[in-house]
Amino acid sequence: MKYFSKLNLLFLILLIIVFIFSCKKDETSSSPVDEFSFVNKRLKVYSAFMYSTTDTIDIYSQLPECKKDDITNFTDSNFIILDNGILKCNQNEPQYLVDGKWHLSNEKLVIISINLIDTIRFDILSESKIRFSIGSNLKIGNKNYYRIINYNQE
């Protein structure tokens, strides 16, 4: 009987230890915002759409070719560096320029333009090692849209 009690006690202790470590693992797991892999990667927009209740607009197809090869880098120092790509729209533009700043807030990507006038809060729709998608509300005239911008790693 004593052997059975000791075995039960040992089993109970092991069960408690497993439970404690499994709870601890849950507490320390980070949110998706803490694990972004888009930082310090060269990203290229491959599609951009605006959706409303009545229509869909393909923004990307309307961009000039000189904008389609631009590359964006969200640096770990929270700057957004734009590489104008091979096809520059204006040959007098520098190859690289600071396009704004970014930070994360309440699981949203906040982009502040370089002129500090525009601040846009993007929902982080998906994020992987090679793709990154963000979305935000946009109003044009009296029509509300939801825009989605998709990036690929260059």
Side-chain angles (χ1 to χ4, degrees):
M1 188 75 167
K2 283 183 176 182
Y3 177 75
F4 186 71
S5 295
K6 286 181 180 180
L7 191 58
N8 281 341
L9 183 62
L10 182 62
F11 179 76
L12 183 62
I13 290 171
L14 284 172
L15 189 62
I16 290 171
I17 290 171
V18 168
F19 179 75
I20 289 172
F21 281 108
S22 67
C23 289
K24 195 170 198 169
K25 183 179 174 186
D26 291 343
E27 291 169 6
T28 59
S29 67
S30 56
S31 73
V33 170
D34 296 333
E35 300 174 351
F36 278 120
S37 62
F38 71 87
V39 176
N40 285 330
K41 294 215 175 132
R42 295 169 52 84
L43 300 169
K44 188 174 181 181
V45 172
Y46 70 91
S47 70
F49 293 93
M50 292 188 334
Y51 300 95
S52 74
T53 54
T54 57
D55 56 34
T56 300
I57 300 169
D58 183 352
I59 305 167
Y60 184 77
S61 68
Q62 297 177 27
L63 290 174
E65 289 302 314
C66 61
K67 286 290 183 194
K68 290 182 179 179
D69 72 342
D70 290 358
I71 295 171
T72 305
N73 184 358
F74 294 87
T75 70
D76 56 4
S77 57
N78 295 85
F79 284 100
I80 301 169
I81 307 293
L82 182 69
D83 176 344
N84 277 310
I86 296 170
L87 303 173
K88 289 166 114 179
C89 295
N90 178 350
Q91 292 306 315
N92 295 329
E93 284 183 342
Q95 187 66 39
Y96 301 95
L97 57 106
V98 176
D99 199 36
K101 292 199 78 164
W102 71 274
H103 68 273
L104 300 172
S105 175
N106 296 325
E107 299 201 11
K108 293 198 182 277
L109 173 67
V110 179
I111 295 179
I112 303 166
S113 67
I114 195 62
N115 58 17
L116 303 178
I117 294 173
D118 298 324
T119 299
I120 305 168
R121 285 175 168 56
F122 285 96
D123 299 318
I124 298 158
L125 305 176
S126 68
E127 189 262 336
S128 72
K129 291 182 179 180
I130 59 169
R131 288 204 168 90
F132 175 55
S133 295
I134 55 178
S136 71
N137 292 312
L138 176 69
K139 187 168 188 157
I140 300 176
N142 61 353
K143 201 165 203 178
N144 293 315
Y145 289 93
Y146 189 77
R147 70 177 149 197
I148 297 176
I149 303 170
N150 300 300
Y151 292 92
N152 266 348
Q153 182 178 346
E154 178 63 16

